[in-house]
Amino acid sequence: YLILVGGRRGRHPRIGRELLKLEDEDQVIYVVEKLVTWVYRRAWSGRLLSEQLDDIQFEKFRQEILHEISEKIARV
């Protein structure tokens, strides 16, 4: 599975940025849950995630998410 974040459809579409690749469905579910929690807790209201990733620097976001999930992913 290839997990992309920050994509957008509509008048000004944008392809999501690659977060990581996984081989197990349980890992995918876990990562998606973590992403939703991250967005819920830290995203700014009224702005699309794709726009926010530019402001918060995608690589910093990616490293934070990967650090948070690394232990669990290794065990699954």
Side-chain angles (χ1 to χ4, degrees):
Y1 299 92
L2 176 61
I3 297 181
L4 304 171
V5 295
R8 174 171 67 200
R9 62 183 189 178
R11 182 179 285 183
H12 304 288
R14 185 178 208 168
I15 295 175
R17 300 176 194 189
E18 184 175 329
L19 184 64
L20 72 155
K21 295 178 184 178
L22 299 168
E23 296 182 13
D24 183 90
E25 290 176 8
D26 292 332
Q27 291 175 336
V28 172
I29 292 168
Y30 178 77
V31 170
V32 170
E33 287 175 349
K34 287 295 184 182
L35 288 170
V36 169
T37 300
W38 189 95
V39 169
Y40 178 74
R41 290 186 178 166
R42 299 188 186 169
W44 300 303
S45 179
R47 295 192 56 210
L48 298 171
L49 181 60
S50 61
E51 296 168 352
Q52 293 179 46
L53 287 177
D54 291 336
D55 294 341
I56 62 174
Q57 301 172 348
F58 174 74
E59 195 55 39
K60 182 179 176 183
F61 163 79
R62 184 175 185 271
Q63 292 304 319
E64 185 176 328
I65 293 293
L66 293 178
H67 175 73
E68 188 172 324
I69 65 172
S70 62
E71 187 176 313
K72 172 71 175 178
I73 294 300
R75 285 187 274 139
V76 174

